[in-house]
Amino acid sequence: KEPTGSQPQTNGSQASYPQQLAKDISVAQKAVDASEKDVAAKNSMNSNGGTTQSQAAQSSKETLANNYIELGDAYYNSDNPKAAIAAYNNALQTTDAVKREALRGLLYAYSADNQIPQAIKAGEDLIAHLQPLVQEDPYVGARIKAYQSDVDRLKTGQQL
């Protein structure tokens, strides 16, 4: 059970954990909605051309994709893997900049939703995506081993 994103904070607050999870989903959905409007506006401006506008549109897409990841994490943390899967897939369709986070989320959300073949594929895709980064960051190698262990567990019928 890996995705956590921004864990709900209930220390000292009146909100219960389920109420905080619902608030996290609401905040993340509002961020997605605002980012979608921003991307649409920048795409319509981008039809006039120009490198600066194109860079602004790409930046907006990355923000939107990150907001989808946050929404997916909020849904996952709320035990709603189907909605999490949709959010992570939306992130993947928006830009490759969040591929690592989206595939990680899909690995665990598919597993939680008992879609084991899809979970295995997401895990294998994640590992393949991370392999070229091992030389740059030793931590990546440790993450690959952990993800491979999770994929192997799924292949042998174990739950994550």
Side-chain angles (χ1 to χ4, degrees), residues 37-73:
K37 288 178 185 173
D38 187 46
V39 167
K42 289 203 168 100
N43 281 341
S44 69
M45 287 180 4
N46 201 27
S47 63
N48 295 331
T51 304
T52 304
Q53 289 175 339
S54 178
Q55 290 170 339
Q58 184 58 33
S59 176
S60 293
K61 283 183 178 183
E62 289 177 17
T63 299
L64 174 59
N66 281 311
N67 287 335
Y68 277 129
I69 296 294
E70 287 293 319
L71 182 60
D73 289 349

Side-chain angles (χ1 to χ4, degrees), residues 124-143:
E124 290 172 342
D125 289 350
L126 174 59
I127 292 165
H129 176 71
L130 292 175
Q131 284 293 345
L133 306 175
V134 171
Q135 297 300 323
E136 300 170 26
D137 184 355
Y139 174 74
V140 171
R143 293 308 312 149

